[in-house]
């Protein structure tokens, strides 16, 4: 069995699509008909079979295509992957975590064999079979963080914990929602979140930091975040904003369903054992409006959320230009009937 | 100073004498006044263990007043680039107990801090005081080029020519504010350029 | 997060007397799997089931983080304490099944350091055993200065000198050997970080001198678990759960709350991590604060207490639990 990996692109001709099963497992982020920031952090435990939480590190039908897109981004701009000198140990921690989790969840695709510090890693979808010495960087083609995150979906930030704060001192960031690792590397938790409106005033980050610095080994946590993207583009970096920004002017009532995508980040937080750092995987899920509205509850709810979103948030998330067109399109799918509580579509797994 | 800003925007204080064995001052132009002001509160003999490195402004002022503090070492430099080798050497040979004081323009404070961070000094342990120009060092997030002495909003990148919004978001590692294309979505929108960082 | 950390079911695999005061305990997993990886400076909380009574004490892991087949801790016998160390010394034998917490690190190395300068006093040597192993394994630059009362009470001093030679310096109180602290602190290269673990007096002395000599606070790391002190019994009302409990003279307030079936969160049980911080609803009497977590202002205003190490004397105490 195993996953059938799609051949698709996240640029140029944008052939990205979700299969019907993947539409139903999409992590829809709104549990009610409105949205405001909250410290919505919960324990990262395994969820229902068939959901994106079936495994703590999720691999899906977009895996191979996403890894190809990442390789293209890195070839253009190697600064998307950086690690300050003291973070190598944390990189090994991350390599162990991702190899173990992927091998555990998808044994038909990944195999990890350990004999002391002699490790063998087989990644069948990408055709990789490497034997290396754990802890010895010279035995891998890249540093440990870069090596494993070229083979793992989602962005990864590694945070060093010191002086009661978290410091973004390493990361692989190629599928980000408009923030720059190259600019933010070395910043503390409050500094790299500085541009986020409203949440500072609400004390959100102070409470979130207190929670995150107390994350314990073996007890990861998670939260969802969201934004919207025009075209299924993974690389919406500030570096390339002048290249993808014009997409936002191309939305018309005729193409909303195909062009506008809800972009959901499943963020999880894990204590790393050797370095005592925290890794923060940011897994990005895209769904186009045509796909999303196949679930009537989601269509109704998304209409209400986008319509009522505070102006500052709409600006921060870059929706201003096409929000009226989107709301008008979604209105036709909202008969005003109530939505059931919870995230899932009305037809549950 | 900008009234309402964001958390990553550096906040400068007022220099004050710290406990320590050695004191290294790096200042430019009106930054000298911050050192002279601090000297009034310094304990006797404080400058016996001090080194002052000073880049005078175009008016050439304050050199005499700084010399009058009688630091153990006094060095004049024509530019930051010219004092860089000396600063790096001093920090390489320094011991714990060295305290760093930076005063003057944001560009000077930021660049000296960048060198000190690389030498292993934690940024929270450095004393800073802003004096003089508010002109910004700006990194273009698109081409990564640094433009010095930016005074306008928006500003043109000296390297790639894009019109950039100069954000308050600041990187200590780069010693620069972030510049992001202001009309990326529609290049025909050209907002007026105002002189605001003086 | 719920109470404390994930638990590990272990069996005592060895008990080794080290000297007159210190005994070493080895733990393996009951399911024979490897134990979780940890970082130098981490501790585990050991649950001691002593008849009706359960004590939970934190101990630094002292083995190499590179070898997780077993965990080792060293326990110094405290004849006037609340009995945790005496229980370990008298009742814990090889083969005993015990429960310990996942490792938690509140005394982590700052891996940015150009050099790690470590100062240990007495049993405060244990976290450095793991940290030096970790650093030696990765070519880290460290220097350890270790003070003990006598050579025979210098737990693991021989082993450390054998492993690290001149990177370890020993000082013995009975020979009047003292660290030349000011000279040591003034001769360290820029970018050095300082770590100190030992008796409270030593920690305070080192921190004071480091501050006076211009070491920024971010470069000075210390760990001092306050052991809960015995004291007069007292009564407490738990407002949220509506229970009234008595804290025995050899029991900590946290242990008494737990014995009543209420489980506040905890990590260190030594007044350091802040997890069990509890609001005071009302009181008539005086607090005996022993923690390193609350501010002086918090202590003065009597609005909060750390039940893991602090006590109370007086007529009545109502807590928000």
């Amino acid at each position: 069995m195993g996953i059938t990996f799609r051949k698709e692109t996240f640029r140029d001709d944008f052939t990205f699509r979700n299969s019907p099963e993947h539409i139903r497992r999409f992590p829809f982020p709104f549990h009610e008909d409105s949205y405001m920031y909250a410290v919505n952090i919960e324990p990262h435990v395994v969820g229902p079979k068939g959901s994106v939480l079936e495994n703590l590190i999720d691999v899906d039908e977009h895996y191979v295509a996403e890894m190809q897109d990442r390789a293209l981004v890195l070839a253009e701009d190697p600064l998307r992957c950086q690690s300050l000198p003291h973070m190598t140990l944390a990189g090994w921690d991350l390599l162990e975590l991702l190899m173990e989790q992927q091998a555990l969840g998808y044994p038909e695709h990944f195999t990890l064999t350990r004999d002391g510090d002699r490790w063998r890693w087989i990644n069948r979808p990408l055709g990789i079979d490497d034997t290396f010495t754990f802890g010895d960087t010279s035995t891998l083609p890249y540093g440990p963080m870069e090596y494993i995150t070229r083979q793992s979906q989602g962005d990864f930030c590694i945070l060093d914990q010191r002086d009661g704060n978290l410091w973004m001192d390493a990361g692989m960031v190629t599928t980000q929602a408009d923030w720059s690792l190259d600019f933010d590397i070395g910043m503390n938790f409050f500094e790299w979140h500085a541009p986020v409106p409203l949440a500072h005033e609400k004390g959100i980050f102070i409470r979130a930091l207190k929670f995150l610095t107390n994350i314990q080994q073996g007890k990861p946590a998670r939260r969802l975040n969201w934004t919207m993207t025009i075209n299924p583009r993974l690389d919406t970096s500030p570096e390339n904003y002048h290249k993808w920004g014009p997409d936002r002017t191309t939305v018309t009532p005729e193409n909303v369903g195909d062009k506008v995508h809800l972009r959901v980040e499943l963020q999880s937080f894990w204590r790393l054992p050797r370095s005592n750092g925290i890794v923060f995987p940011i897994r990005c899920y895209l769904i186009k409006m045509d796909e999303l509205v196949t679930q009537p509850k989601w269509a109704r709810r998304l209409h209400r959320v986008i319509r009522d979103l505070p102006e500052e948030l709409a600006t921060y998330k870059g929706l201003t230009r096409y929000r009226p067109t989107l709301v008008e399109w979604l209105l036709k799918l909202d008969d005003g009937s109530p939505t059931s509580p919870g995230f899932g579509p009305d037809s549950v797994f | 100073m900008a009234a309402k800003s964001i958390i990553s925007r550096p906040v400068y204080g007022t220099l004050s004498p710290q406990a320590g064995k050695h004191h290294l001052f790096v200042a430019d132009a009106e930054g000298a006044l911050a050192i002279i002001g601090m000297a009034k509160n310094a304990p006797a003999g404080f400058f016996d263990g001090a080194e002052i490195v000073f880049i005078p402004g175009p008016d050439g002022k304050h050199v005499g007043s700084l010399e009058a503090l009688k630091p153990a070492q006094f060095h004049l430099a024509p530019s930051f680039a010219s004092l860089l080798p000396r600063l790096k050497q001093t920090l390489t040979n320094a011991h714990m107990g060295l305290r760093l004081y930076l005063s003057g323009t944001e560009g000077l404070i930021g660049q000296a801090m960048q060198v000190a961070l690389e030498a292993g000094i934690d940024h929270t342990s450095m004393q800073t005081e802003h004096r003089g120009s508010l002109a910004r060092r700006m990194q273009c997030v698109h081409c990564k080029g640094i433009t010095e002495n930016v005074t306008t909003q928006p500003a043109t990148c000296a390297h790639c020519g894009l019109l950039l919004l100069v954000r308050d978001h600041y990187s200590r590692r780069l010693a620069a504010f972030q510049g992001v294309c202001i009309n990326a979505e529609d290049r025909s929108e050209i907002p007026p350029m105002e002189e605001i960082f003086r | 997060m719920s109470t404390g950390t994930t638990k590990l079911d272990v069996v005592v695999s060895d008990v080794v007397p080290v000297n007159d005061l210190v005994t070493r305990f080895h733990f393996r997993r009951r399911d024979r799997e490897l134990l979780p990886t940890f970082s130098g400076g981490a501790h585990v909380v050991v649950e001691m089931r002593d008849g009706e009574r359960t004590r939970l004490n934190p101990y630094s892991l002292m083995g190499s983080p590179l070898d997780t087949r077993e965990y080792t801790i060293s326990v110094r016998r405290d004849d006037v304490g609340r009995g945790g160390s005496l229980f370990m010394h008298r009742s814990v034998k090889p083969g005993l099944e015990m429960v310990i917490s996942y490792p938690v690190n509140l005394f982590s190395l700052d891996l940015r350091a150009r050099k790690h300068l470590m100062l240990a006093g007495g049993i405060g040597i244990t976290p450095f055993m793991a940290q030096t192993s970790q650093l030696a394994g990765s070519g880290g630059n460290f220097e350890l200065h270790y003070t003990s009362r006598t050579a025979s009470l210098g737990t693991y001093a021989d082993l450390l000198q054998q492993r690290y030679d001149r990177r370890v310096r020993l000082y013995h109180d009975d020979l009047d050997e003292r660290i030349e602290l000011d000279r040591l602190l003034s001769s360290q290269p820029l970018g050095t970080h300082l770590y100190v673990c030992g008796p409270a007096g030593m920690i305070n002395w080192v921190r004071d001198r480091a501050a006076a000599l211009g070491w920024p606070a971010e470069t000075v790391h210390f760990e001092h678990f306050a052991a809960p002190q015995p004291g007069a019994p007292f009564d407490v009302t738990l407002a949220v759960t509506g229970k009234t409990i008595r804290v025995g003279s050899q029991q900590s307030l946290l242990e008494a709350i737990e014995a009543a079936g209420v489980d506040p969160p905890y990590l260190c049980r030594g007044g350091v991590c802040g997890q069990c911080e509890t609001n005071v609803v009302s009181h008539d009497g005086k607090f005996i604060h022993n923690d390193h977590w609350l501010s002086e202002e918090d202590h003065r205003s009597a609005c909060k207490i750390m039940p893991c190490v602090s006590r109370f004397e007086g007529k009545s105490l109502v807590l928000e639990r």
Side-chain angles (χ1 to χ4, degrees), chain A residues 3-8 16-23 25 59-66 153 283:
Chain A
I3 306 164
T4 308
F5 298 104
R6 298 180 63 93
K7 284 197 176 66
E8 58 192 0
F16 167 88
R17 299 284 181 283
N18 285 296
S19 65
E21 305 77 64
H22 271 62
I23 293 174
R25 80 199 282 277
V59 175
D60 68 14
E61 63 183 2
H62 310 297
Y63 175 77
V64 173
E66 284 189 27
Q153 284 173 278
R283 177 76 154 78

Side-chain angles (χ1 to χ4, degrees), chain A residues 86 89 96 160 162-163 169 210-211 214-221 273-276, chain C residues 1-2 4-6 36-39 102-105 108 110-112 134 218 267 275:
Chain A
H86 61 282
L89 186 62
E96 177 183 50
D160 194 18
R162 47 178 205 267
D163 307 322
D169 286 348
K210 198 165 177 180
F211 180 86
N214 278 317
I215 293 249
Q216 294 308 306
Q217 221 172 303
K219 282 197 166 180
R274 293 169 188 76
S275 57
N276 202 38
Chain C
M1 292 271 132
S2 57
T5 64
T6 316
T37 307
F38 65 100
S39 50
Y102 252 60
V104 173
N105 199 340
S108 191
D110 191 324
L111 295 173
R112 296 173 306 162
Q134 179 180 336
E218 303 78 35
L267 288 178
Q275 287 285 303

